[in-house]
Amino acid sequence: MRPAALDWSIENCTLARAMEVLGERWTLVVLREVFNGVRRFDDMRVRTGIPRQVLTNRLATLVEEGVLRREPYREPGSRLRHEYRLTPKGLDLWPVLVAVLGWGDRYLADPEGSPLRVDHRDCGGEVRAVLRCERGHEVDEPRDVVPRPGPGARRRVG
């Protein structure tokens, strides 16, 4: 049976576009650090072990894409430097990081568990990513989801 997805084009796929911004290995690590409050270049480099040029490139891309913004600061007696802050576009990536963390915890954690946990500030409960349709139903199984062409889909020719 021929999948219906072959009837529409994926040339303008927003998932593919998102992965052009986020798909490099170190990008989510950089975002993890910024979400954890590590905002300065040297702190990120030391904490993660990301090579200097790679970190420079990742930060530049995230700033260029509007995910992070540069905020100037100056330590007494030092030159002007920048720290990196999340923009609203960057903050919208939080559920993505929580979902990836949950997947990693489930399949890749050491026997003693994950070194990182995210908790709800108000009650202390662990935060997890949940899928819910626009009508409020939780979606637990991938087979409960049907991919369909969206409003920007183009019919495939040929």
Side-chain angles (χ1 to χ4, degrees):
M1 178 176 201
R2 177 179 155 78
L6 293 175
D7 292 337
W8 70 85
S9 171
I10 56 168
E11 290 176 24
N12 62 341
C13 176
T14 54
L15 178 61
R17 289 179 186 172
M19 293 313 295
E20 286 179 20
V21 176
L22 304 173
E24 197 281 326
R25 170 186 176 203
W26 292 111
T27 300
L28 292 183
V29 172
V30 168
L31 290 172
R32 176 198 67 199
E33 293 307 306
V34 178
F35 273 109
N36 285 334
V38 180
R39 296 184 180 96
R40 295 182 177 180
F41 183 93
D42 288 335
D43 294 336
M44 275 187 235
R45 196 176 57 74
V46 168
R47 182 168 153 93
T48 63
I50 300 173
R52 179 176 291 282
Q53 191 58 50
V54 172
L55 181 56
T56 298
N57 293 344
R58 291 309 148 258
L59 289 168
T61 297
L62 291 168
V63 168
E64 183 180 308
E65 292 292 337
V67 173
L68 297 176
R69 64 182 165 78
R70 292 172 52 153
E71 191 73 28
Y73 74 93
R74 183 188 310 265
E75 296 284 340
S78 296
R79 65 180 173 87
L80 182 71
R81 294 177 168 234
H82 292 90
E83 60 182 23
Y84 296 87
R85 299 288 180 137
L86 292 157
T87 65
K89 187 176 180 179
L91 287 166
D92 281 347
L93 287 168
W94 180 239
V96 174
L97 268 71
V98 171
V100 172
L101 176 63
W103 184 87
D105 289 352
R106 183 171 183 174
Y107 296 107
L108 305 171
D110 291 340
E112 58 275 4
S114 177
L116 178 63
R117 179 183 149 126
V118 289
D119 293 341
H120 185 219
R121 187 182 306 273
D122 289 347
C123 73
E126 190 169 359
V127 173
R128 294 190 174 95
V130 176
L131 295 179
R132 185 173 284 118
C133 79
E134 67 183 6
R135 295 180 185 160
H137 305 109
E138 270 194 33
V139 179
D140 296 323
E141 297 294 323
R143 288 183 173 82
D144 292 339
V145 177
V146 179
R148 295 197 172 111
R154 297 182 184 122
R155 193 100 177 119
R156 255 187 101 132
V157 179

